[in-house]
Amino acid sequence: MRSSARLLLLILLPILIVIVPLLVGGGIAQHVLRQQMVDYQGRQDLDLSSLSEAARVVQAFGNLHERATRVLNDATAGELSSLQLYRAHTALVDELAELQGAVNQLAASPLLTEINHGSAEVLHEAFSQYRSFIIVATEIAVIDQSTAMRNLSEANERFILFSRANQRISERLANRVGERSRDSFSRIDVFMQTAAWLALGVLLFLSALALWSARWLNRNLMVVTQALVDMASAHHQGDTNRIQQVQVISEDTRHAFQPIAGALMQLRQADAKRRVAEQNAYRLAYFDSLTGLPNWARLTGMLEEQLRLQTATGQCALLILDLDNFKDINDSYGHQKGDLLLVEVASRLKTIANSHQIARLGGDEFAILMVPETAQDRIDEPTVERLAMAIRQALSEPYLIEGDRFFLSASIGIVLADGSEHEVEALFKYADSAMNRAKRLGRNAHCFFDPKVQSELEAISQLERDMRQALETEAFSLHYQVQVDDQQGAIGVEALLRWQHAEQGMMSPATFIPLAEETGLIVPLGYWVLREACQQLAQWQSNPETRSLTMAVNVSPQQFLNDEFCDRIAAILKKTGANPALLKLELTESTLLTGVEETIGKMHALRALGLTFSLDDFGTGYSSLQYLKRLPISQLKIDQSFVCDLHRNPEDKAIVRTIIAMSEALQVQVIAEGVESQSQFDFLLSEGCYAFQGYYFARPVPAESLAVLLKRNDNRNDG
Ligand code: C2E
Ligand code: MG
Ligand code: MG
């Protein structure tokens, strides 16, 4: 039988085992009862017909006796002729013969035999004798009346005997009918009682059977259902005993629940696999595979949760820790050793900060989330500082990895979430910026997040964004400051960058050039300046007043070191058509000090294009004469810091004198910048400086204003 049919049968079994036997039993009982009733009815009918037969015989006998008596009385009284008597005799003989048959039949009836054997014989005997006496009496009544009367009297006695016997028989028959009726009813009664008891017994038995079957069904259903419930519950592992039961059922092919149990076990296995896969996915998503520590995503979740509970638990702290110079170890010893070191770092962190949440954010960056364990716990600055110190101390102990000794230090940034609405992202950003500050302070340090520093940093990063945009929208421009000779005649200009900031107005390069250098934006910006200056230089070629002006352009170290620098300059010169001989690149001493040989090579290559070099801010750096001698420089530019105090500072005077002497020794020109007064001009002139730049002559101005300025100067000189 198929399992589904078996299961259906099992479910219907409690109903079937009660109802079907009851229906069958009821049918049998009804049949038996009906049979008994039919049987009883048959007997009753038989008894009644026997009774009525007896009555009919008696009645017929009585009638016959009356007629015989009358015939004989009439014959003896002479009222009948011989013929009439003969005829009456013949009729009586026939009737007697007929009645004899009926009496015989009655006497022989089994009912009569059953009641009383003797009575039947008496009936038979009495009637036979009566018949004989009557026949004789009617035969001789004509000739012998007294014998006839005697025979009649004999016959009369027999008639009385017959009647009495018949009466007794009738009484007995009537009793018998009653008895039979009672017997039948008592038998039906017994049957009914027996059937009732039997039905009760069977019902009890069947009910017990149904109960057992229902309980069996229920137990199995419960096992399967509970196993399903266990599976549905995400965290419940399930009762092993129950699982074993389901396992046993699933292996029993004849069991009605086998398909369900089998499917359940398969589901369970699939569910177990799914759980394992889920756990693995969770582990991959939220834990670092190298150290086993929670990762950034998990820490973020924990921090979010903590911030949600913040008001109840007090403040928490986030520490971001970055190993110093770890990249060098990775590069020198390989990633395998680097990994082992990271594992060791993680283990030391676990030892030191075991009551806090530690995470690896990636690479050599770790984080520690300090949360109060109880409402009384305080996560304040001293507590966090103690932990930071302990961590730095623990991490600074030497590491022995596969026979190599390593030393590490860490920079730690700390932010305290004090209950004001901090966002997770912001906290990470603050801790990160504090960590960067610790790095800038020289590494192996820890710094708390300072909102003031942060706002400065934010302002800087805003400026950076603005600068990038300004580069795209060409919000930069160049101003030109005139350089003059000893006659104060214009000999050249210095191109100075200006930025018209949308909110902050005209900005000095001193504000944004350092940031441009820090962010690398100085490279594209520098090329823009060069292009603009060269275009201007080319334009000036057509004007006699500006045709001979040199153009000094400031070049930052980063730009100069750019690999494409020479090619780009050549391209710009070519594109703009500017005269390279009029282009002067202003370099600082720091530019020249990085990679001396490469710098010299590059300078020679550029000189070959036709342009010249001026050493800007000269005197503030550390270049030696020996070194300067090798550089293809055509001009030294005395830094304005020595010029501005010339009239009152003898040291500055000495320095300026030395620089001028140096330029003579090196056979290069010299120019003084920041000349603001006649006395400064006079002093410089007296010392042998013949080129000047400063407010005393002109301020930096846009190109349009420069033409006016030059014209005015010419007029003054002419005048
Ligand atoms: P620098 O190259 O030494 O330029 C001279 C600076 O001194 C200019 O300031 C100029 O306006 C200022 N100056 C000129 N005469 C006087 C004076 O008599 N008195 C005083 N107090 N100052 C005077 P500026 O334009 O603010 O530029 C500052 C610095 O920014 C420049 O110093 C230069 O290092 C840098 N810079 C300017 N433009 C560029 C550029 O296009 N590229 C690069 N890389 N740096 C630039
Ligand atoms: Mg300059
Ligand atoms: Mg300068």
Side-chain angles (χ1 to χ4, degrees), residues 249-264:
I249 295 172
S250 75
E251 285 163 6
D252 182 356
T253 49
R254 285 175 308 155
H255 199 289
F257 281 84
Q258 190 274 337
I260 296 177
L264 203 63

Side-chain angles (χ1 to χ4, degrees), residues 494 554 586 616-618 637-640 673:
E494 179 180 7
N554 293 286
E586 285 196 9
D616 201 1
D617 304 340
F618 191 72
K637 198 169 187 183
I638 305 168
D639 188 70
Q640 58 179 286
E673 68 174 344

Side-chain angles (χ1 to χ4, degrees), residues 477-479 481 494-498 507-514 517 522 525-526 528-530 552-557 559 586 588 616-617 637 639-640 643-644 673-677 680 693-700:
S477 62
L478 286 185
H479 280 197
Q481 187 176 28
E494 179 180 7
L496 293 162
L497 190 58
R498 294 293 179 264
M507 284 180 73
S508 156
T511 338
F512 62 84
I513 290 286
E517 281 176 334
I522 191 68
L525 191 56
W528 181 85
V529 172
L530 270 165
V553 177
N554 293 286
V555 174
S556 82
Q559 192 184 0
E586 285 196 9
T588 56
D616 201 1
D617 304 340
K637 198 169 187 183
D639 188 70
Q640 58 179 286
V643 178
C644 69
E673 68 174 344
V675 181
E676 289 183 350
S677 64
Q680 288 167 346
Q693 183 185 337
Y695 294 169
Y696 180 64
F697 313 102
R699 286 187 175 255

